[in-house]
Amino acid sequence: KKGRKVAESAPGTYTAELHDPAKAVRTLAALEEKMYAAARNLEFEEAARLRDEIARLRAAAFIS
């Protein structure tokens, strides 16, 4: 599945993309799509992990 690449990514994989606001927005949107797809597929643990990664990225991108 496409979503598996994100699922297997370690936390912090996307941190480098935060230096470019446009990339950060695209990355967050892609992660949100994958999160919703995981939830639709009843993969709730994966959806929760993605939710947490999105929250971490948002905090890092827009607070720092």
Side-chain angles (χ1 to χ4, degrees), residues 7-62:
E8 295 168 1
S9 299
T13 301
Y14 301 100
T15 305
E17 295 178 1
L18 300 179
H19 298 292
D20 179 2
K23 267 189 179 177
V25 169
R26 285 192 303 270
T27 298
L28 288 167
L31 288 173
E32 285 179 345
E33 285 181 36
K34 290 176 183 183
M35 176 187 68
Y36 291 125
R40 280 191 303 273
N41 292 326
L42 306 179
E43 298 170 356
F44 300 120
E45 289 179 12
E46 175 62 11
R49 190 196 66 74
L50 289 165
R51 177 204 61 212
D52 295 345
E53 180 71 3
I54 291 165
R56 188 188 66 73
L57 287 172
R58 280 191 179 135
F62 301 114

